[in-house]
Amino acid sequence: MEAVRLNTVLIVLGIVIIPALSQGGLKTGFYSSSCPKAESIVRSTVEARFNKDPTVAAGLLRLHFHDCFVQGCDGSILIAGASAEKTALPNLGLRGFEVIDDAKSQLESLCPGVVSCADILALAARDAVDLVNISVEVQVGVCLPGRRDGRISSSADASSLPSPLDSVPTQRQKFASKGLDDHDLVTLVGAHTIGQTDCIFFRYRLYNFTTTGNSDPSINQVFLAQLKSTCPKDGDGSIRVALDKDSQFKFDVNFFKNVRDGNGILESDQRLWGDSSTRRIVQNYAGNIIGLLGFRFDFEFPKAMIKMSSIEVKTGTQGEIRKICSKFN
């Protein structure tokens, strides 16, 4: 992690130096000899899809997050099957699988049996974030390759995933079980700056929050009227709504300002303002009126991503290198 801090400082000073990084069997340049074009192929595949559909960026980032929280970052979310991880309720809205399959197909033709699906997913998430108007500091070191693919994928294991209904204590427990603290929690939830969700996942906050027909009192009243207009009580629950009001295609701190102002869409996001510990972090990212104080989200996000991308990874002789990402060898 010290190497990451040093790297950021060098960039700020205008010195373009990228030191070699390593962490738990993962390292920069992992495929430099075995498949030199691996990262550029993933990048070009993500970029081609992003140019057609910018919303795929949020999809890939969420796909990687869901992968890492179940069985670690091992590509288990990519496995197809009636009882596979991807069939669990929290995973039914995941997207971006075709991007991973496309990149894998190209890499298997060029370097068969070398690049893992878990790494392709991690690299794709990194590149997706980079493409959404994010500053140069986040481009370096967000993903250290070297993961191998897992051999287990079960929908029953998905209970470890955070839920939009989770209180802060529950979120804290789920993140802590993966070695992530409150700072990581708030920082990673900040990825919702480019996300979307369906009306069905938050409509209860608008019409029946207390089962007596009341709305969630933490919602800004002006925003509440807007949400009710977009998501009528008996309307189409699949209507998509941006998780970051007014800034859904920019990877910025506007999401935290929305949480501060009562404009959070998901209950779990808005609850971050009600807990003293997470509220302080949200406020630091949102900044003051001038916007000059507080943590730099573009500095902190890559560090949190590196931690998350290293959760329970398989390296060395563990796991396998799948030939097809959706099925075990």
Side-chain angles (χ1 to χ4, degrees):
M1 206 60 73
E2 290 300 326
V4 176
R5 293 194 184 98
L6 172 62
N7 196 42
T8 301
V9 171
L10 291 173
I11 293 173
V12 172
L13 292 176
I15 305 171
V16 184
I17 298 175
I18 304 177
L21 305 178
S22 64
Q23 180 169 323
L26 310 179
K27 65 178 182 179
T28 55
F30 185 85
Y31 296 110
S32 59
S33 297
S34 58
C35 193
K37 294 184 179 180
E39 295 196 31
S40 63
I41 287 175
V42 174
R43 168 76 185 206
S44 63
T45 304
V46 173
E47 191 166 4
R49 190 57 59 95
F50 176 83
N51 289 337
K52 295 179 181 178
D53 177 16
T55 66
V56 77
L60 288 168
L61 188 54
R62 184 172 178 234
L63 189 60
H64 181 46
F65 179 91
H66 280 232
D67 183 42
C68 291
F69 260 73
V70 182
Q71 295 290 337
C73 309
D74 67 350
S76 55
I77 190 63
L78 305 174
I79 293 294
S83 60
E85 192 177 309
K86 68 187 297 184
T87 66
L89 183 61
N91 293 328
L92 294 183
L94 293 179
R95 51 194 296 262
F97 294 98
E98 71 285 351
V99 180
I100 308 304
D101 290 339
D102 187 0
K104 179 62 172 176
S105 177
Q106 296 177 60
L107 289 167
E108 281 299 300
S109 295
L110 184 65
C111 315
V114 173
V115 183
S116 70
C117 299
D119 268 348
I120 293 172
L121 177 51
L123 289 166
R126 176 195 66 181
D127 294 336
V129 172
D130 179 34
L131 288 167
V132 188
N133 194 35
I134 198 162
S135 63
V136 69
E137 291 90 347
V138 181
Q139 297 178 28
V140 181
V142 169
C143 175
L144 306 177
R147 297 162 192 78
R148 289 173 64 85
D149 299 320
R151 293 193 176 104
I152 298 174
S153 181
S154 172
S155 60
D157 295 328
S159 60
S160 60
L161 283 166
S163 161
L165 303 177
D166 285 346
S167 65
V168 172
T170 299
Q171 293 182 68
R172 179 177 290 127
Q173 184 276 323
K174 289 181 177 180
F175 275 74
S177 70
K178 303 299 179 183
L180 303 171
D181 57 24
D182 279 7
H183 187 75
D184 300 318
L185 188 166
V186 176
T187 303
L188 291 170
V189 169
H192 286 170
T193 182
I194 58 170
Q196 294 180 317
T197 191
D198 296 348
C199 287
I200 194 172
F201 292 116
F202 66 89
R203 191 162 52 189
Y204 71 95
R205 297 185 68 208
L206 312 182
Y207 302 102
N208 199 33
F209 186 66
T210 60
T211 70
T212 59
N214 296 328
S215 302
D216 185 340
S218 68
I219 303 177
N220 179 291
Q221 290 302 299
V222 174
F223 190 44
L224 175 63
Q226 295 173 6
L227 290 176
K228 285 186 173 181
S229 176
T230 303
C231 300
K233 186 174 183 179
D234 298 315
D236 183 359
S238 66
I239 294 174
R240 304 286 285 172
V241 177
L243 291 172
D244 188 358
K245 175 179 174 287
D246 301 327
S247 184
Q248 68 168 310
F249 295 116
K250 291 185 178 180
F251 207 99
D252 56 20
V253 298
N254 195 66
F255 168 79
F256 298 105
K257 294 178 180 180
N258 279 327
V259 171
R260 177 194 64 193
D261 298 338
N263 294 328
I265 297 290
L266 300 179
E267 181 181 354
S268 56
D269 289 351
Q270 191 57 53
R271 293 296 163 258
L272 296 176
W273 189 248
D275 178 273
S276 60
S277 174
T278 54
R279 176 176 181 151
R280 182 173 62 253
I281 302 165
V282 170
Q283 182 64 70
N284 277 328
Y285 282 141
N288 61 8
I289 295 176
I290 302 175
L292 297 178
L293 300 180
F295 295 124
R296 283 285 301 276
F297 180 53
D298 53 359
F299 282 7
E300 300 300 318
F301 186 77
K303 293 187 285 187
M305 274 287 286
I306 288 174
K307 288 180 68 175
M308 186 195 77
S309 297
S310 303
I311 294 173
E312 301 168 19
V313 294
K314 282 77 175 173
T315 60
T317 59
Q318 298 172 317
E320 63 183 15
I321 304 296
R322 290 184 212 138
K323 296 179 177 64
I324 299 173
C325 289
S326 60
K327 57 188 293 188
F328 301 122
N329 290 343

